[in-house]
Amino acid sequence: MELQTLYPFRLPKGYVDGEGTLHREGRMRLATAGDELGALRDPRVKADERYLNVLLLSKVVTLPEVTPEIIEGLFVADLEFLQDMYDTVNKAEKPQIQVACPTAGRPSQTP
């Protein structure tokens, strides 16, 4: 059995980059202990612990490239989506992600 470490997603709203390109597709990788420990050491988190989620997401999400500033610029719906996904894929048990087939539009679950 192979360990899945990357999870594709589609943002509800999407991120518009500086050139006006809309990005909705991305991937989230499993977080490492180093990701979490490094974020906890960051002075921005020490000043405001709510910033922890921003830093963690900027480390594990690709859209194709993500910085803390990009996470800050996301619509609230997209930020909440990514936070929920982070919690789901980093749980100890095998995550179940609800997805919809882009062709048929029917929901299904990925193991």
Side-chain angles (χ1 to χ4, degrees):
M1 179 179 215
E2 192 172 314
L3 174 65
Q4 183 176 356
T5 60
L6 290 173
Y7 297 86
F9 63 81
R10 181 173 174 87
L11 293 174
K13 303 284 185 197
Y15 164 71
V16 179
D17 67 21
E19 297 171 4
T21 304
L22 176 66
H23 302 274
R24 292 184 71 194
E25 308 287 329
R27 296 186 309 172
M28 180 180 291
R29 68 169 172 79
L30 288 177
T32 65
D35 294 330
E36 294 206 1
L37 291 170
L40 287 170
R41 291 185 196 111
D42 191 285
R44 295 170 288 188
V45 173
K46 290 183 179 188
D48 184 350
E49 66 184 41
R50 294 173 296 181
Y51 202 72
L52 178 64
N53 287 337
V54 170
L55 286 180
L56 287 174
L57 290 173
S58 72
K59 291 176 180 292
V60 299
V61 170
T62 60
L63 272 173
E65 183 182 333
V66 176
T67 63
E69 292 75 25
I70 289 173
I71 298 295
E72 289 176 12
L74 291 176
F75 294 110
V76 172
D78 292 330
L79 178 62
E80 288 176 352
F81 172 86
L82 290 174
Q83 288 173 327
D84 289 344
M85 185 174 178
Y86 181 93
D87 290 341
T88 300
V89 302
N90 286 291
K91 287 183 180 177
E93 65 260 7
K94 190 174 185 181
Q96 297 286 319
I97 307 291
Q98 185 77 24
V99 297
C101 172
T103 306
R106 289 189 299 266
S108 66
Q109 286 192 344
T110 62

